[in-house]
Amino acid sequence: MDSEWNDSQPIYRQLRDRVVAMILDGVLKEGDPLPSVRNVAAEYRVNPLTVLKSYQELVDQGLVEKKRGVGMFVNAGARDRLLQDEREKFLAEEWPRVYATMQRLGLKAKDLLKPAKEER
């Protein structure tokens, strides 16, 4: 995980987003344990309560399961749910901005599919 923080979003949300990215990228698979709260807090020099808050958000969303005395683990189906949620979020929030920019610049879909080296 990257250790730089963005000032526009709370750290616990950024930690949550990093775990989500690890699940989406396949770094964390179904049944895998999440890094311990203590280790993450020490590695990123944040309060353990901040890490716990980010993990609790994942539990509340049903993506992670808390096993008392053992740790937190990625739930079955978490990646599929995240893929669906992130796709919907992209289409609702980011795609309209990208599409508007394409329109402003006169770009077509085929322009986006060209390999980068062809344009040079």
Side-chain angles (χ1 to χ4, degrees):
M1 282 197 272
D2 185 10
S3 64
E4 295 197 21
W5 305 113
N6 178 344
D7 291 338
S8 67
Q9 191 177 41
I11 291 174
Y12 81 92
R13 286 288 294 171
Q14 293 177 62
L15 283 170
R16 179 223 170 261
D17 291 348
R18 290 175 187 187
V19 173
V20 164
M22 291 171 71
I23 294 170
L24 287 171
D25 293 341
V27 175
L28 289 174
K29 295 176 181 28
E30 294 178 0
D32 283 353
L34 268 57
S36 78
V37 170
R38 287 183 188 180
N39 286 346
V40 172
E43 184 175 345
Y44 297 105
R45 299 181 195 169
V46 296
N47 189 314
L49 293 175
T50 301
V51 179
L52 192 57
K53 186 173 182 175
S54 68
Y55 280 11
Q56 187 59 50
E57 213 173 84
L58 295 166
V59 170
D60 293 345
Q61 292 176 312
L63 300 171
V64 170
E65 178 183 13
K66 187 186 303 185
K67 294 183 181 179
R68 190 177 183 112
V70 182
M72 297 195 189
F73 297 82
V74 178
N75 275 338
R79 184 173 187 280
D80 292 336
R81 276 192 44 214
L82 282 170
L83 277 173
Q84 180 180 349
D85 292 348
E86 292 296 313
R87 286 175 179 156
E88 288 173 10
K89 182 179 172 184
F90 173 80
L91 290 172
E93 297 174 14
E94 294 181 44
W95 177 248
R97 288 191 300 267
V98 170
Y99 184 74
T101 301
M102 288 174 60
Q103 295 299 309
R104 226 177 356 265
L105 299 175
L107 292 171
K108 305 284 184 228
K110 64 179 180 170
D111 298 326
L112 301 176
L113 299 175
K114 288 181 188 175
K117 65 182 179 184
E118 276 186 28
E119 294 192 18
R120 291 184 182 160

